[in-house]
């Protein structure tokens, strides 16, 4: 009698998720317990400390009180849409079509309290419905969040150094506002030159504005710096 038996005795892999989708979303907030000794950690487990930080700083209350959005999506409330885009930036996804990779991420779904993310077109419609005044409101949210972080971290700087410079963004085509100007890497091609300002002491982004391909004048830089000074924390 011949017994055919496998020679390998490897252990079966542990299931990383359930076969059926839950009927209700998992709720994850600042009171959720966590540790760093688990064997089956999600790839985006670092979002939990970020969720705790934003909840302690009352980010939701600040967004709902500051931003004026007249047209909300049916899939998610306004704050959840903003929070989804902010969390995607934390993970490293800088484009809206990258959100499809997080459509059913358990950690993100638990933080947002939804079963799955809406399609990309929903986020585009939300951004297209915003008026020009919302840009200043977003800067105000950024200023107040920086103020709260500095107060929580006991950061007390008597003076700061503003690092203002332009960057070259090459475009391919006939985009409006593109110019042939200073472009050391792609000489002779059209580009934009957005103006960006950072804090030299903390490496924080303070303010920026879009700019065409022409070199900004001294008057434009002065106006930009005046707007950046307003965005600095008090004191």
């Amino acid at each position: 009698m011949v017994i055919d038996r496998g020679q390998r005795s490897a252990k079966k892999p542990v299931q990383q998720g359930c076969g059926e989708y839950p009927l209700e979303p998992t709720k994850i907030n600042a009171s959720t317990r966590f540790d760093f000794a688990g064997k089956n950690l999600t790839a985006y487990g670092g979002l939990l400390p970020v969720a705790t930080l934003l909840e302690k700083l009352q980010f939701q209350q600040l967004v709902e009180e500051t931003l004026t959005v007249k047209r909300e999506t049916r899939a998610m409330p306004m704050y959840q849409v903003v929070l989804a885009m902010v969390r995607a930036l934390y993970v490293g996804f800088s484009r809206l079509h990258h959100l499809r990779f997080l459509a059913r991420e358990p950690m993100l779904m638990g933080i947002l309290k939804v079963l799955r993310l809406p399609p990309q077109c929903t986020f585009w419609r939300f951004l297209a419905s915003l008026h020009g005044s919302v840009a200043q409101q977003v800067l105000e949210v950024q200023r107040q969040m920086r103020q709260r972080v500095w107060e929580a971290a006991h950061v007390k700087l008597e003076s700061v150094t503003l690092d203002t410079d332009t960057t070259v963004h090459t475009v391919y085509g006939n985009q409006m506002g593109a110019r042939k100007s200073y472009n050391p890497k792609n000489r002779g091609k059209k580009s934009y030159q957005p103006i960006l300002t950072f804090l030299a002491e903390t490496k924080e982004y303070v303010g920026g504005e879009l700019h065409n391909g022409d070199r900004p004048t001294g008057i434009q830089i002065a106006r930009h710096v005046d707007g950046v000074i307003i965005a600095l924390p008090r004191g």
Side-chain angles (χ1 to χ4, degrees):
M1 182 177 64
V2 178
I3 300 177
D4 187 7
R5 182 177 300 173
Q7 298 297 323
R8 299 182 60 185
S9 60
K11 297 181 180 180
K12 294 183 179 180
V14 180
Q15 294 184 358
Q16 298 295 326
C18 57
E20 298 180 357
Y21 295 113
L23 299 178
E24 296 182 357
T26 305
K27 297 181 180 180
I28 298 177
N29 50 30
S31 60
T32 303
R33 299 185 60 183
F34 63 93
D35 60 72
F36 299 95
K39 297 181 180 180
N40 301 312
L41 294 177
T42 173
Y44 304 110
L47 288 175
L48 182 55
V50 177
T52 304
L53 174 64
L54 295 180
E55 186 173 342
K56 295 295 184 181
L57 297 177
Q58 299 181 351
F59 180 66
Q60 179 176 359
Q61 179 183 0
L62 178 60
V63 170
E64 293 177 348
E65 292 179 353
T66 306
L67 298 186
T68 303
V69 179
K70 297 182 179 180
R71 180 182 177 182
E72 296 188 4
T73 61
R74 296 182 179 180
M76 294 190 303
M78 179 267 295
Y79 171 71
Q80 289 182 331
V81 176
V82 175
L83 186 61
M85 292 186 289
V86 171
R87 295 299 168 82
L89 292 175
Y90 271 105
V91 173
F93 295 151
S94 58
R95 299 181 181 275
L96 289 180
H97 73 270
H98 291 162
L99 290 173
R100 59 192 176 94
F101 300 111
L102 301 173
R104 293 190 180 274
E105 163 58 32
M107 181 63 66
L108 184 60
M109 297 305 98
I111 295 174
L112 297 176
K113 300 179 178 61
V114 295
L115 293 176
R116 63 166 300 165
L117 288 179
Q120 173 187 349
C121 59
T122 301
F123 292 94
W124 277 118
R125 286 197 301 268
F126 172 78
L127 294 177
S129 64
L130 302 179
H131 297 281
S133 60
V134 179
Q136 295 297 328
Q137 297 175 359
V138 172
L139 293 178
E140 178 63 19
V141 172
Q142 178 184 0
R143 186 193 68 81
Q144 294 195 30
M145 286 296 293
R146 183 182 295 108
Q147 180 79 31
R148 296 178 182 183
V149 170
W150 282 24
E151 293 176 354
H154 304 287
V155 177
K156 299 179 181 179
L157 298 176
E158 298 181 357
S159 62
V160 295
T161 304
L162 297 178
D163 185 6
T164 302
D165 199 357
T166 60
T167 181
V168 178
H169 178 68
T170 305
V171 298
Y172 302 91
N174 296 320
Q175 285 85 347
M176 182 175 61
R179 300 287 192 275
K180 291 183 180 180
S181 184
Y182 176 74
N183 195 338
K185 293 184 179 181
N186 299 280
R187 297 181 183 275
K189 292 186 178 180
K190 295 182 179 180
S191 63
Y192 295 136
Q193 291 196 19
I195 308 173
L196 306 175
T197 298
F198 298 86
L199 282 179
E201 287 77 9
T202 60
K203 305 299 188 296
E204 294 179 76
Y205 168 80
V206 184
E209 62 178 277
L210 296 176
H211 192 266
N212 57 28
D214 294 331
R215 296 182 181 181
T217 63
I219 298 177
Q220 293 174 333
I221 293 295
R223 184 179 67 249
H224 169 77
V225 173
D226 290 339
V228 167
I229 293 176
I230 299 177
L232 291 176
R234 297 184 181 90

